[in-house]
Amino acid sequence: MNSRRRAAALAFTLLFVTATAFAQPLPATVTLEDVIRLLNERSPRTVADRASIDVTAADRITARTYPNPDISYGNVHLVTGLSTGAITQHQVVFDQPLLIFRQRQARLGAADLNVAAEQARVAQALSQRRLQVRQAFATLLSRQQQRSVIQDSLADLQRVQDVVRGRAEAGERSDYDVARIEIETERVRVEMMNAEADVDDAAGQMATLLGFPGWSPRATGTLDPSADVPTDVEALWATAQQRRPSLVAIRQQQAAARGGLFLAQRERLPVPAFSAGTQMTQSVTGTSTFLGFSMPLPFFDRGQGAIAKADAQIRAQDLALEAELAEAHADIERATTVLAKRRAALSELETRVVERVPTLRRMSEDAYREGGADILELLDAMRSVKDIQIAHVQQLESAKLAEEAVVSVAGLDAQ
């Protein structure tokens, strides 16, 4: 009955938390810290994963519970022949198993280790989603900034279009120039529509990761490189060995496997039973009491199967830890190499290309006004300016995604 009540309470809590998450209004504008807090506190998937810890913790109740006593009744009645005593006998026997070899403590210890292992598994799953959310946030920022670049380019085209029309009306430019810049303006307007769709898609991806339908947030923040993310492999590896959630989870599973072996060794020990009862006779009225003690003899089943399974689980977890250590080290090397090259490419783009964009824009417009360039050269220059700015935003996004990967593989954001 208590287990049913706990299960019902757990289900009610899960439903209440989920309903509360949907009832509370979601912010229209979010920072990275906001989305991480929403992931930790209000995401239905996070709530569901953490509920599995309570499922595992329920084993503690079973572990700390003493075995139930047995009570039996027997009746003996003389049918034929001579009675050597009473004709009818009633016998009531009470048996209580005794966990004298500390099996109960071993069960509780194993249950505690299993809870710790489940908590580590949930933390690992949450860290993987946290990486996805952080990268989705960076992508949303990038799409918003790319949309702003296209919006600025469209405004520039509309401004130049007014100038070209005025000059065409004054006879200084041909109608071809007007038609050409109008077509380019409409093309960029379509590009702007696609940029809006990209922003909506990125916002929807983040809403999907967090489990909030109907939510389309606007991200605020920066894609600029962070000085807090190092690229030193050995320093990151030292941190990862202590904080990387996948390594923490496997070590907890190792501890749970060793706890399972200790429990199997305890469970192989016999569980004696203390007996007490009474015997009552009729015809020749009498009441007798007796005490007894019984113990199973481990001739055949000595728990060898459970012990072998526990040994195999320990070996499997040891091998899994070795594999995870090798993969984690390789993962850090990969992530740091990618981040260093992304940063180098960003620096090269900013110093050799982006810094010259304002000069390029000014020179192209001046040349067109002074008659030193035709409309096609002006439009080509404006298109180049837009493409360079978008390439800069995309490179910032690539570097930010690489940073988030390093943060995740080294466990820098482990909570």
Side-chain angles (χ1 to χ4, degrees), residues 31-77:
T31 63
L32 179 59
E33 291 73 19
D34 291 333
V35 295
I36 295 300
R37 184 169 57 254
L38 288 171
L39 173 67
N40 290 335
E41 298 176 0
R42 296 179 57 182
S43 172
R45 178 60 60 187
T46 301
V47 174
D49 281 349
R50 286 175 177 163
S52 67
I53 298 174
D54 293 330
V55 175
T56 306
D59 291 337
R60 289 170 170 167
I61 300 174
T62 304
R64 69 168 61 97
T65 303
Y66 289 97
N68 290 324
D70 291 331
I71 187 169
S72 61
Y73 166 78
N75 177 278
V76 178
H77 183 76

CSV table of all heavy atoms in Angstrom, one decimal, residues 31-77:
chain,number,residue,atom,x,y,z
A,31,THR,N,18.5,35.3,-22.4
A,31,THR,CA,20.0,35.2,-22.5
A,31,THR,C,20.3,33.7,-22.4
A,31,THR,O,19.5,32.9,-22.1
A,31,THR,CB,20.6,36.0,-21.3
A,31,THR,OG1,20.2,35.4,-20.1
A,31,THR,CG2,20.2,37.4,-21.3
A,32,LEU,N,21.6,33.4,-22.5
A,32,LEU,CA,22.1,32.1,-22.4
A,32,LEU,C,21.8,31.5,-21.0
A,32,LEU,O,21.4,30.4,-20.8
A,32,LEU,CB,23.6,32.0,-22.7
A,32,LEU,CG,24.2,30.6,-22.6
A,32,LEU,CD1,23.5,29.6,-23.5
A,32,LEU,CD2,25.7,30.6,-22.9
A,33,GLU,N,22.0,32.4,-20.0
A,33,GLU,CA,21.7,31.9,-18.6
A,33,GLU,C,20.2,31.6,-18.4
A,33,GLU,O,19.9,30.7,-17.7
A,33,GLU,CB,22.1,33.0,-17.6
A,33,GLU,CG,23.6,33.2,-17.5
A,33,GLU,CD,24.2,33.9,-18.7
A,33,GLU,OE1,23.5,34.6,-19.5
A,33,GLU,OE2,25.5,33.8,-18.9
A,34,ASP,N,19.4,32.4,-19.1
A,34,ASP,CA,17.9,32.1,-19.0
A,34,ASP,C,17.6,30.8,-19.6
A,34,ASP,O,16.8,30.0,-18.9
A,34,ASP,CB,17.1,33.2,-19.8
A,34,ASP,CG,17.2,34.6,-19.1
A,34,ASP,OD1,17.4,34.6,-17.9
A,34,ASP,OD2,17.1,35.6,-19.8
A,35,VAL,N,18.1,30.4,-20.7
A,35,VAL,CA,17.7,29.1,-21.4
A,35,VAL,C,18.3,28.0,-20.6
A,35,VAL,O,17.6,26.9,-20.5
A,35,VAL,CB,18.1,29.1,-22.8
A,35,VAL,CG1,17.4,30.1,-23.7
A,35,VAL,CG2,19.6,29.2,-23.0
A,36,ILE,N,19.5,28.1,-20.0
A,36,ILE,CA,20.0,27.1,-19.2
A,36,ILE,C,19.2,26.9,-17.9
A,36,ILE,O,18.9,25.7,-17.5
A,36,ILE,CB,21.5,27.4,-18.8
A,36,ILE,CG1,22.4,27.4,-20.0
A,36,ILE,CG2,22.0,26.3,-17.8
A,36,ILE,CD1,22.4,26.1,-20.8
A,37,ARG,N,18.7,28.0,-17.3
A,37,ARG,CA,17.8,27.9,-16.2
A,37,ARG,C,16.5,27.2,-16.5
A,37,ARG,O,16.0,26.4,-15.8
A,37,ARG,CB,17.6,29.2,-15.6
A,37,ARG,CG,16.8,29.2,-14.3
A,37,ARG,CD,16.7,30.5,-13.5
A,37,ARG,NE,16.2,31.6,-14.4
A,37,ARG,CZ,17.0,32.6,-14.9
A,37,ARG,NH1,18.3,32.5,-14.7
A,37,ARG,NH2,16.5,33.5,-15.7
A,38,LEU,N,15.9,27.6,-17.7
A,38,LEU,CA,14.7,26.9,-18.1
A,38,LEU,C,14.9,25.4,-18.4
A,38,LEU,O,14.0,24.6,-18.0
A,38,LEU,CB,14.2,27.6,-19.4
A,38,LEU,CG,13.6,29.0,-19.3
A,38,LEU,CD1,13.4,29.6,-20.7
A,38,LEU,CD2,12.4,29.0,-18.5
A,39,LEU,N,16.1,25.1,-18.9
A,39,LEU,CA,16.4,23.6,-19.1
A,39,LEU,C,16.4,22.9,-17.8
A,39,LEU,O,15.9,21.8,-17.6
A,39,LEU,CB,17.7,23.5,-19.9
A,39,LEU,CG,18.2,22.1,-20.0
A,39,LEU,CD1,17.3,21.2,-20.9
A,39,LEU,CD2,19.7,22.1,-20.5
A,40,ASN,N,17.1,23.5,-16.8
A,40,ASN,CA,17.3,22.8,-15.5
A,40,ASN,C,16.0,22.8,-14.7
A,40,ASN,O,15.8,21.8,-14.0
A,40,ASN,CB,18.3,23.5,-14.7
A,40,ASN,CG,19.7,23.4,-15.3
A,40,ASN,OD1,20.0,22.4,-16.0
A,40,ASN,ND2,20.6,24.3,-15.0
A,41,GLU,N,15.1,23.8,-14.8
A,41,GLU,CA,14.0,23.9,-13.9
A,41,GLU,C,12.7,23.6,-14.5
A,41,GLU,O,11.8,23.1,-13.7
A,41,GLU,CB,14.0,25.3,-13.3
A,41,GLU,CG,15.3,25.7,-12.5
A,41,GLU,CD,15.2,27.1,-12.0
A,41,GLU,OE1,14.2,27.8,-12.3
A,41,GLU,OE2,16.2,27.5,-11.4
A,42,ARG,N,12.5,23.9,-15.8
A,42,ARG,CA,11.1,23.8,-16.3
A,42,ARG,C,11.0,22.9,-17.5
A,42,ARG,O,9.8,22.6,-17.9
A,42,ARG,CB,10.6,25.2,-16.7
A,42,ARG,CG,10.5,26.1,-15.5
A,42,ARG,CD,10.1,27.5,-15.9
A,42,ARG,NE,8.8,27.5,-16.6
A,42,ARG,CZ,8.2,28.6,-17.1
A,42,ARG,NH1,8.8,29.8,-16.9
A,42,ARG,NH2,7.1,28.5,-17.7
A,43,SER,N,12.0,22.4,-18.1
A,43,SER,CA,11.9,21.5,-19.2
A,43,SER,C,11.2,20.2,-18.8
A,43,SER,O,11.7,19.5,-17.9
A,43,SER,CB,13.3,21.2,-19.8
A,43,SER,OG,13.2,20.2,-20.8
A,44,PRO,N,10.2,19.8,-19.5
A,44,PRO,CA,9.5,18.5,-19.2
A,44,PRO,C,10.4,17.3,-19.3
A,44,PRO,O,10.3,16.4,-18.5
A,44,PRO,CB,8.4,18.5,-20.2
A,44,PRO,CG,8.1,19.9,-20.6
A,44,PRO,CD,9.4,20.6,-20.6
A,45,ARG,N,11.3,17.3,-20.2
A,45,ARG,CA,12.3,16.2,-20.4
A,45,ARG,C,13.2,16.1,-19.2
A,45,ARG,O,13.5,15.0,-18.7
A,45,ARG,CB,13.1,16.4,-21.7
A,45,ARG,CG,14.1,15.3,-21.9
A,45,ARG,CD,13.5,13.9,-22.0
A,45,ARG,NE,12.6,13.8,-23.1
A,45,ARG,CZ,11.8,12.8,-23.3
A,45,ARG,NH1,11.8,11.8,-22.5
A,45,ARG,NH2,11.0,12.8,-24.4
A,46,THR,N,13.6,17.2,-18.6
A,46,THR,CA,14.5,17.2,-17.5
A,46,THR,C,13.7,16.7,-16.3
A,46,THR,O,14.2,15.9,-15.5
A,46,THR,CB,15.0,18.6,-17.1
A,46,THR,OG1,15.7,19.1,-18.3
A,46,THR,CG2,15.9,18.6,-15.9
A,47,VAL,N,12.4,17.1,-16.1
A,47,VAL,CA,11.6,16.7,-15.0
A,47,VAL,C,11.4,15.1,-15.1
A,47,VAL,O,11.5,14.4,-14.2
A,47,VAL,CB,10.2,17.4,-15.0
A,47,VAL,CG1,9.3,16.8,-14.0
A,47,VAL,CG2,10.4,18.9,-14.8
A,48,ALA,N,11.1,14.7,-16.4
A,48,ALA,CA,10.9,13.2,-16.6
A,48,ALA,C,12.2,12.4,-16.3
A,48,ALA,O,12.1,11.4,-15.6
A,48,ALA,CB,10.5,13.0,-18.0
A,49,ASP,N,13.3,12.9,-16.7
A,49,ASP,CA,14.6,12.2,-16.4
A,49,ASP,C,14.8,12.1,-14.9
A,49,ASP,O,15.2,11.1,-14.4
A,49,ASP,CB,15.7,12.8,-17.1
A,49,ASP,CG,15.8,12.5,-18.6
A,49,ASP,OD1,15.1,11.6,-19.0
A,49,ASP,OD2,16.6,13.1,-19.3
A,50,ARG,N,14.6,13.2,-14.2
A,50,ARG,CA,14.9,13.2,-12.8
A,50,ARG,C,13.9,12.3,-12.0
A,50,ARG,O,14.2,11.9,-10.9
A,50,ARG,CB,14.8,14.7,-12.3
A,50,ARG,CG,16.0,15.5,-12.6
A,50,ARG,CD,15.9,16.9,-12.3
A,50,ARG,NE,17.1,17.7,-12.6
A,50,ARG,CZ,17.2,19.0,-12.6
A,50,ARG,NH1,16.1,19.7,-12.4
A,50,ARG,NH2,18.4,19.6,-12.9
A,51,ALA,N,12.7,12.1,-12.6
A,51,ALA,CA,11.7,11.2,-11.9
A,51,ALA,C,12.3,9.8,-11.9
A,51,ALA,O,11.9,9.0,-11.0
A,51,ALA,CB,10.4,11.3,-12.7
A,52,SER,N,13.2,9.4,-12.8
A,52,SER,CA,13.7,8.1,-12.7
A,52,SER,C,14.6,7.8,-11.5
A,52,SER,O,14.7,6.7,-11.0
A,52,SER,CB,14.5,7.8,-14.0
A,52,SER,OG,15.7,8.6,-14.0
A,53,ILE,N,15.1,8.9,-10.9
A,53,ILE,CA,15.9,8.8,-9.7
A,53,ILE,C,15.0,8.3,-8.6
A,53,ILE,O,15.4,7.5,-7.8
A,53,ILE,CB,16.5,10.1,-9.4
A,53,ILE,CG1,17.5,10.5,-10.5
A,53,ILE,CG2,17.3,10.1,-8.0
A,53,ILE,CD1,18.1,11.9,-10.3
A,54,ASP,N,13.8,8.9,-8.5
A,54,ASP,CA,12.8,8.4,-7.5
A,54,ASP,C,12.4,7.0,-7.6
A,54,ASP,O,12.2,6.3,-6.7
A,54,ASP,CB,11.6,9.3,-7.5
A,54,ASP,CG,11.9,10.8,-7.1
A,54,ASP,OD1,12.8,11.0,-6.3
A,54,ASP,OD2,11.2,11.7,-7.6
A,55,VAL,N,12.4,6.5,-8.9
A,55,VAL,CA,12.0,5.1,-9.2
A,55,VAL,C,13.1,4.2,-8.6
A,55,VAL,O,12.9,3.2,-7.9
A,55,VAL,CB,11.9,4.9,-10.7
A,55,VAL,CG1,11.7,3.4,-11.0
A,55,VAL,CG2,10.7,5.7,-11.2
A,56,THR,N,14.4,4.6,-8.8
A,56,THR,CA,15.5,3.8,-8.3
A,56,THR,C,15.6,3.9,-6.8
A,56,THR,O,15.9,3.0,-6.1
A,56,THR,CB,16.8,4.3,-8.9
A,56,THR,OG1,16.7,4.2,-10.3
A,56,THR,CG2,18.0,3.4,-8.5
A,57,ALA,N,15.3,5.1,-6.3
A,57,ALA,CA,15.4,5.3,-4.8
A,57,ALA,C,14.3,4.5,-4.1
A,57,ALA,O,14.5,4.2,-2.9
A,57,ALA,CB,15.2,6.8,-4.5
A,58,ALA,N,13.2,4.1,-4.8
A,58,ALA,CA,12.2,3.3,-4.1
A,58,ALA,C,12.8,1.9,-3.7
A,58,ALA,O,12.2,1.3,-2.7
A,58,ALA,CB,11.0,3.1,-5.0
A,59,ASP,N,13.9,1.5,-4.3
A,59,ASP,CA,14.5,0.2,-3.9
A,59,ASP,C,15.0,0.3,-2.5
A,59,ASP,O,15.3,-0.7,-1.8
A,59,ASP,CB,15.6,-0.2,-4.8
A,59,ASP,CG,15.1,-0.6,-6.2
A,59,ASP,OD1,13.9,-0.9,-6.3
A,59,ASP,OD2,15.9,-0.5,-7.2
A,60,ARG,N,15.3,1.5,-2.0
A,60,ARG,CA,15.7,1.7,-0.6
A,60,ARG,C,14.7,1.1,0.4
A,60,ARG,O,15.0,0.6,1.5
A,60,ARG,CB,16.1,3.1,-0.3
A,60,ARG,CG,17.3,3.7,-1.0
A,60,ARG,CD,17.4,5.2,-0.8
A,60,ARG,NE,18.6,5.7,-1.2
A,60,ARG,CZ,18.9,7.0,-1.4
A,60,ARG,NH1,17.9,7.9,-1.2
A,60,ARG,NH2,20.0,7.5,-1.8
A,61,ILE,N,13.4,1.3,0.1
A,61,ILE,CA,12.4,0.9,0.9
A,61,ILE,C,12.4,-0.6,1.1
A,61,ILE,O,12.3,-1.2,2.2
A,61,ILE,CB,11.0,1.4,0.4
A,61,ILE,CG1,11.0,2.9,0.3
A,61,ILE,CG2,9.9,0.8,1.3
A,61,ILE,CD1,9.7,3.4,-0.3
A,62,THR,N,12.5,-1.3,-0.1
A,62,THR,CA,12.6,-2.7,-0.1
A,62,THR,C,13.9,-3.2,0.7
A,62,THR,O,13.8,-4.2,1.4
A,62,THR,CB,12.7,-3.3,-1.5
A,62,THR,OG1,11.5,-2.8,-2.2
A,62,THR,CG2,12.7,-4.8,-1.5
A,63,ALA,N,15.0,-2.5,0.5
A,63,ALA,CA,16.3,-2.9,1.1
A,63,ALA,C,16.2,-2.8,2.6
A,63,ALA,O,16.8,-3.7,3.3
A,63,ALA,CB,17.4,-2.0,0.6
A,64,ARG,N,15.6,-1.8,3.2
A,64,ARG,CA,15.6,-1.6,4.6
A,64,ARG,C,14.4,-2.4,5.3
A,64,ARG,O,14.3,-2.4,6.6
A,64,ARG,CB,15.5,-0.1,5.0
A,64,ARG,CG,14.1,0.5,4.7
A,64,ARG,CD,14.1,1.9,5.3
A,64,ARG,NE,15.1,2.8,4.8
A,64,ARG,CZ,14.9,3.7,3.9
A,64,ARG,NH1,13.7,3.8,3.3
A,64,ARG,NH2,15.9,4.4,3.5
A,65,THR,N,13.6,-3.0,4.5
A,65,THR,CA,12.4,-3.8,5.1
A,65,THR,C,12.9,-5.1,5.6
A,65,THR,O,13.6,-5.9,4.9
A,65,THR,CB,11.3,-3.9,4.1
A,65,THR,OG1,10.9,-2.6,3.6
A,65,THR,CG2,10.1,-4.6,4.7
A,66,TYR,N,12.5,-5.5,6.8
A,66,TYR,CA,12.7,-6.8,7.4
A,66,TYR,C,11.9,-7.9,6.7
A,66,TYR,O,10.7,-7.6,6.2
A,66,TYR,CB,12.5,-6.9,8.9
A,66,TYR,CG,13.5,-6.1,9.7
A,66,TYR,CD1,13.2,-4.8,10.1
A,66,TYR,CD2,14.7,-6.6,10.0
A,66,TYR,CE1,14.2,-4.0,10.8
A,66,TYR,CE2,15.7,-5.9,10.7
A,66,TYR,CZ,15.4,-4.6,11.1
A,66,TYR,OH,16.3,-3.9,11.8
A,67,PRO,N,12.3,-9.1,6.6
A,67,PRO,CA,11.5,-10.2,6.0
A,67,PRO,C,10.2,-10.4,6.8
A,67,PRO,O,10.3,-10.3,8.1
A,67,PRO,CB,12.4,-11.4,5.9
A,67,PRO,CG,13.5,-11.1,6.9
A,67,PRO,CD,13.6,-9.6,7.0
A,68,ASN,N,9.2,-10.8,6.2
A,68,ASN,CA,7.9,-11.0,6.9
A,68,ASN,C,8.0,-12.4,7.6
A,68,ASN,O,8.6,-13.3,7.1
A,68,ASN,CB,6.7,-11.1,5.9
A,68,ASN,CG,6.4,-9.7,5.3
A,68,ASN,OD1,6.5,-8.7,6.0
A,68,ASN,ND2,6.0,-9.7,4.1
A,69,PRO,N,7.3,-12.4,8.8
A,69,PRO,CA,7.2,-13.7,9.5
A,69,PRO,C,6.2,-14.6,8.8
A,69,PRO,O,5.3,-14.2,8.0
A,69,PRO,CB,6.8,-13.3,10.9
A,69,PRO,CG,6.0,-12.1,10.7
A,69,PRO,CD,6.7,-11.4,9.5
A,70,ASP,N,6.3,-15.9,9.0
A,70,ASP,CA,5.3,-16.9,8.5
A,70,ASP,C,4.5,-17.5,9.7
A,70,ASP,O,5.1,-17.7,10.8
A,70,ASP,CB,6.0,-18.0,7.8
A,70,ASP,CG,6.6,-17.6,6.5
A,70,ASP,OD1,6.1,-16.6,5.9
A,70,ASP,OD2,7.6,-18.1,6.0
A,71,ILE,N,3.3,-17.7,9.5
A,71,ILE,CA,2.5,-18.4,10.5
A,71,ILE,C,1.8,-19.6,9.8
A,71,ILE,O,1.3,-19.4,8.6
A,71,ILE,CB,1.5,-17.5,11.2
A,71,ILE,CG1,0.8,-18.2,12.3
A,71,ILE,CG2,0.5,-16.9,10.2
A,71,ILE,CD1,0.0,-17.3,13.2
A,72,SER,N,1.8,-20.7,10.4
A,72,SER,CA,1.2,-21.9,9.8
A,72,SER,C,0.3,-22.6,10.8
A,72,SER,O,0.5,-22.5,12.0
A,72,SER,CB,2.2,-22.8,9.2
A,72,SER,OG,3.1,-23.3,10.3
A,73,TYR,N,-0.7,-23.3,10.3
A,73,TYR,CA,-1.6,-24.1,11.2
A,73,TYR,C,-1.7,-25.5,10.6
A,73,TYR,O,-1.8,-25.7,9.4
A,73,TYR,CB,-3.0,-23.4,11.2
A,73,TYR,CG,-4.0,-24.3,11.8
A,73,TYR,CD1,-4.2,-24.4,13.2
A,73,TYR,CD2,-4.9,-25.0,11.0
A,73,TYR,CE1,-5.1,-25.2,13.7
A,73,TYR,CE2,-5.9,-25.8,11.5
A,73,TYR,CZ,-6.0,-25.9,12.9
A,73,TYR,OH,-7.0,-26.7,13.4
A,74,GLY,N,-1.7,-26.4,11.6
A,74,GLY,CA,-1.9,-27.8,11.2
A,74,GLY,C,-2.9,-28.5,12.1
A,74,GLY,O,-3.0,-28.1,13.3
A,75,ASN,N,-3.5,-29.5,11.6
A,75,ASN,CA,-4.5,-30.3,12.4
A,75,ASN,C,-4.3,-31.8,12.1
A,75,ASN,O,-4.2,-32.2,11.0
A,75,ASN,CB,-5.9,-29.9,11.9
A,75,ASN,CG,-7.0,-30.7,12.7
A,75,ASN,OD1,-7.3,-31.8,12.3
A,75,ASN,ND2,-7.6,-30.1,13.7
A,76,VAL,N,-4.3,-32.5,13.2
A,76,VAL,CA,-4.1,-34.0,13.2
A,76,VAL,C,-5.3,-34.6,13.9
A,76,VAL,O,-5.6,-34.2,15.0
A,76,VAL,CB,-2.8,-34.4,13.8
A,76,VAL,CG1,-2.7,-36.0,13.8
A,76,VAL,CG2,-1.6,-33.8,13.1
A,77,HIS,N,-6.0,-35.5,13.2
A,77,HIS,CA,-7.2,-36.2,13.8
A,77,HIS,C,-7.1,-37.7,13.6
A,77,HIS,O,-6.9,-38.1,12.4
A,77,HIS,CB,-8.5,-35.6,13.2
A,77,HIS,CG,-9.7,-36.2,13.8
A,77,HIS,ND1,-10.2,-35.8,15.0
A,77,HIS,CD2,-10.6,-37.2,13.3
A,77,HIS,CE1,-11.3,-36.5,15.3
A,77,HIS,NE2,-11.6,-37.4,14.2
